[in-house]
């Protein structure tokens, strides 16, 4: 997909690979560059924040889309949008995967599990501390 530029700083975007999975477009970016975007994305969307909080609560375990939707009381399509991005409602640049808040594990055919990253845990603590 390319890069996302804000004030001359480039941020990574996810690109779709041949296997349908998302990969970071540039793996060398510093978390310090992504931190303000991650905080903003979690504050802008209650669904994103609830997903991250649920995955934080069950960590180090992983969960699948419909189970996440059940626990955060939303639809699976909203969960997918918040995790990966979905057209205009959930922008790819602010998706939980793109911002490295959660990670995806491919477990067999069409089974994707999601878990929170250490960076995601740090972002949730940052948001809770600022309240």
């Amino acid at each position: 997909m390319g890069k996302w530029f804000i004030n001359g700083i480039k941020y990574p975007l996810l690109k779709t690979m041949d296997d349908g999975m998302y990969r970071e477009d540039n793996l060398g970016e510093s978390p310090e560059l992504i931190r303000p975007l991650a905080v903003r994305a979690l504050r802008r969307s209650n669904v994103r924040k609830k997903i991250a909080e649920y995955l934080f609560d069950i960590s180090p375990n992983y969960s699948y889309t419909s189970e996440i939707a059940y626990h955060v009381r939303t639809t699976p399509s909203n969960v997918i949008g918040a995790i990966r991005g979905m057209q205009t409602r959930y922008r790819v640049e602010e998706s939980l995967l793109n911002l490295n808040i959660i990670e995806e594990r491919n477990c067999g055919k069409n089974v994707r599990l999601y878990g929170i990253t250490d960076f995601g845990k740090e972002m949730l603590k940052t948001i809770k501390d600022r309240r």
Side-chain angles (χ1 to χ4, degrees):
M1 287 185 176
K3 308 270 186 249
W4 183 32
F5 287 89
I6 296 180
N7 296 331
I9 300 171
K10 63 181 177 181
Y11 294 92
L13 289 181
L14 295 179
K15 61 180 179 179
T16 306
M17 304 303 283
D18 292 335
D19 61 0
M21 302 297 288
Y22 291 97
R23 302 286 190 277
E24 213 173 281
D25 201 15
N26 59 336
L27 298 171
E29 291 295 337
S30 169
E32 286 74 29
L33 297 177
I34 300 172
R35 186 170 279 112
L37 295 174
V39 170
R40 180 176 182 266
L42 289 172
R43 285 188 174 156
R44 282 189 47 166
S45 170
N46 282 327
V47 174
R48 277 191 210 106
K49 186 166 64 174
K50 286 179 182 179
I51 290 169
E53 287 172 346
Y54 169 69
L55 293 174
F56 180 84
D57 292 342
I58 66 165
S59 71
N61 298 321
Y62 286 69
S63 185
Y64 54 95
T65 307
S66 60
E67 183 178 35
I68 295 169
Y70 175 80
H71 287 283
V72 301
R73 301 185 193 277
T74 190
T75 63
S77 63
N78 277 338
V79 170
I80 290 169
I83 289 175
R84 292 187 231 154
M86 177 174 50
Q87 296 173 357
T88 57
R89 185 167 183 179
Y90 293 101
R91 297 174 17 188
V92 174
E93 303 88 46
E94 295 180 354
S95 71
L96 295 172
L97 277 175
N98 189 51
L99 295 171
N100 197 30
I101 294 170
I102 66 169
E103 61 185 357
E104 180 180 82
R105 290 215 175 146
N106 193 2
C107 299
K109 189 176 183 178
N110 295 327
V111 179
R112 295 178 183 180
L113 298 176
Y114 301 96
I116 194 156
T117 62
D118 291 335
F119 179 72
K121 291 175 186 177
E122 181 184 328
M123 289 299 92
L124 283 176
K125 289 176 185 173
T126 299
I127 288 175
K128 288 180 182 181
D129 290 344
R130 290 184 181 181
R131 285 184 187 172

